[in-house]
Amino acid sequence: MSSYLCAIGTANPPHRIPQLQIADFMASALELDEAGTRKLRALYRVSGIGQRYTVLPDYGRPPGEFEFFPNTPGLEPFPGVGQRMTQYRQHALPLSVQAVKNCLAQLPEVEIASITHLITVSCTGMYAPGLDIELVAALGLPGNVQRTCVNFMGCYAAVNALKLADAFCRSTPGARVLVVCTELCTLHFQKSHEDDHLVSNALFGDGAAAVLVQSQPATTGPSLALAGFHCGLEPEGHTDMAWHINDFGFEMTLSSYVPRMIQQGIGQLTRQLLQDLPVQLADIRSFAIHPGGRKILEAIEQALGLTAHDNRFAYHVLREYGNMSSATVLYVLRELMRTLTPADAGEPVLSFAFGPGLTLEAMLLTVAYEVNAKNVDGIVSVEKVKDVAVPSS
C-alpha cells in the first residue's frame, strides 16, 4: 500500500517586509556604527532573500512606533520568552487554519469529518493544551482524531511528519492525515553581535503549510507518492546547527561551516536513500530542497552536479519568503507541484531538509495522477517510466 501527498496549502502573516528594511531595523536595534551597518546590509543583500513575512509589524517600522519591542534605546527591557510565547499563542492558530483551508480547498472530495489523523509541527512555540487541540475545535475535526505533535526538531521536521503520515496510511486503510507546520521564527530575534545570531536574524521568516496525505491519489490534479526516506547524521556539526531555549527567546546557532558539512554528507545521504530503490540520481530531474540559505543550496549543487535551474523552486521560496524552518520544504514542493502536468506522471522527485544535529533528511517522491492510479504500484505509474517500479509493501 502506498501513500500520497495530495495537496499543499500555505499561509503567511500580513506583514511583508523587504529584506533591506529588516536590515535597517537590525542595525538600529543592535546600535551599530556606520561601518557595522554597511557590513550588515551587505550580509542581507547577498542572502538571496528579497522579503520576509512576520507577525510583528515592528520590523518594518521606525523606532518609536513599535508594538512588541520597547520604544527605547537598545529595545530594553528586551522581551523574554513569556512575551514571545504570548505572541505565538495569539498568531499560530489563525495562520494554521488559513493554511489548512487553503489545502483542503484544492480537494473538494475531502470532507473535514473524514480526517483521521492530525500532525502538528513547530519549533518556534509550545503550549498545552496546544495548537493541535485548538485546531480540532477551530476546524471542526472529529474529537477522536488521532493527534501527534512533532516539536522542536527544526527545519527538517516536516520530513519526519511525512514519515509518520506515510506510516499511518500504510497501517490504517482509509487513513487521511492532515499535517500542519507552523513557524513564527521572527519572534526569536536575538539582540546579539555574534556571527551566528547575525546570520539567523538575516534568514528566518514566518509561515505555515498544511498537507493532506492519504492512501490514494487526489481525484484531480497531481499527487506525490511517498516512495522512500532516509536520515543521516553528521556528528561533526553537533554544535554548528543548534536550537536552544534561553531567557530572551529561542536561540539559533548556525555557523559558517554548515554548508561545507552538508556538501560533504549529501552525496552519501543520496546514495543511501536510493540504494534500495530502482532510481538513480541521473534519472531525477525534479528537486525540492530546503533553502536553509543561499550557500547551502550552492553547496548541494556542487556536491550533486546540479544547476541553479534544478534548484529553481528552492531559490524562488528563499527569495519570496526566506527560511520558515519546517514549513519551508513544503513551500518548495508546492511550487514544484504547480508546474506538473499529466505528462510528468511517474517522474521521481528528490527532496532534502536539514536541521540541528547536524541532521540531513532525504525523501524520494514520484508524480502520480488519479487517472494512472490503477498502474501505480509503490512509487510510480509504469505508464510513464516503465523501468521504475517498487513492489507494494
Side-chain angles (χ1 to χ4, degrees), residues 15-355:
H15 307 296
R16 184 180 67 179
I17 316 295
Q19 179 76 329
L20 290 181
Q21 192 171 349
I22 300 175
D24 292 338
F25 168 90
M26 295 294 178
S28 175
L30 296 171
E31 300 178 296
L32 298 179
D33 59 19
E34 185 178 346
T37 299
R38 283 199 305 271
K39 290 179 181 178
L40 189 72
R41 286 179 64 85
L43 171 66
Y44 278 60
R45 277 196 300 271
V46 301
S47 65
I49 298 170
Q51 60 192 18
R52 287 180 277 163
Y53 291 81
T54 174
V55 296
L56 299 177
D58 295 4
Y59 291 108
R61 293 181 172 178
E65 298 182 14
F66 298 154
E67 293 182 4
F68 177 69
F69 295 109
N71 287 289
T72 59
L75 308 183
E76 294 295 343
F78 202 48
V81 173
Q83 293 167 279
R84 298 170 195 246
M85 291 301 94
T86 296
Q87 292 291 315
Y88 184 89
R89 290 194 299 273
Q90 176 182 339
H91 295 289
L93 178 63
L95 198 65
S96 301
V97 169
Q98 186 181 347
V100 171
K101 289 182 176 180
N102 181 254
C103 173
L104 296 183
Q106 303 168 46
L107 301 168
E109 73 275 17
V110 176
E111 297 182 359
I112 197 72
S114 69
I115 303 298
T116 59
H117 298 72
L118 172 65
I119 303 172
T120 57
V121 182
S122 188
C123 69
T124 50
M126 289 178 284
Y127 57 100
L131 180 61
D132 58 326
I133 292 176
E134 292 184 346
L135 278 170
V136 170
L139 296 171
L141 290 168
N144 64 348
V145 67
Q146 297 189 42
R147 295 176 285 111
T148 305
C149 302
V150 178
N151 291 329
F152 219 67
M153 298 191 80
C155 296
Y156 64 87
V159 179
N160 281 275
L162 291 175
K163 289 179 186 178
L164 288 170
D166 178 61
F168 292 149
C169 288
R170 290 176 183 273
S171 65
T172 306
R176 275 183 167 154
V177 186
L178 185 62
V179 178
V180 184
C181 297
T182 302
E183 303 290 9
L184 306 184
C185 305
T186 66
L187 294 178
H188 300 292
F189 157 53
Q190 296 298 307
K191 195 181 65 174
S192 166
H193 291 236
E194 294 182 14
D195 288 346
D196 289 349
H197 292 152
L198 294 177
V199 171
S200 297
N201 291 339
L203 290 177
F204 288 95
D206 299 348
V211 172
L212 185 82
V213 178
Q214 59 185 17
S215 54
Q216 62 276 336
T219 58
T220 57
S223 298
L224 294 173
L226 301 176
F229 299 89
H230 189 79
C231 176
L233 279 173
E234 290 293 323
E236 287 183 39
H238 185 77
T239 60
D240 290 282
M241 187 183 289
W243 192 225
H244 300 286
I245 300 176
N246 283 317
D247 293 341
F248 298 103
F250 300 177
E251 295 185 8
M252 167 62 76
T253 299
L254 189 63
S255 83
S256 60
Y257 296 105
V258 168
R260 176 178 60 81
M261 286 182 286
I262 291 176
Q263 183 176 14
Q264 291 174 346
I266 200 71
Q268 181 179 2
L269 182 75
T270 303
R271 289 190 294 273
Q272 290 171 338
L273 169 69
L274 300 179
Q275 66 183 358
D276 295 324
L277 299 170
V279 179
Q280 301 298 318
L281 181 59
D283 300 325
I284 302 172
R285 297 192 297 272
S286 296
F287 299 87
I289 299 174
H290 167 66
R294 181 181 59 81
K295 289 185 178 180
I296 288 175
L297 294 178
E298 291 173 349
I300 294 171
E301 290 166 11
Q302 293 171 12
L304 298 184
L306 307 183
T307 66
H309 180 75
D310 294 328
N311 242 349
R312 61 194 180 280
F313 305 116
Y315 282 116
H316 172 81
V317 170
L318 183 66
R319 181 176 64 253
E320 297 298 321
Y321 304 96
N323 183 342
M324 299 167 288
S325 193
S326 68
T328 319
V329 72
L330 300 180
Y331 275 65
V332 179
L333 284 167
R334 179 196 62 170
E335 293 302 316
L336 184 150
M337 288 181 74
R338 286 175 169 175
T339 69
L340 298 175
T341 70
D344 297 307
E347 290 290 342
V349 176
L350 182 60
S351 182
F352 300 115
F354 320 99

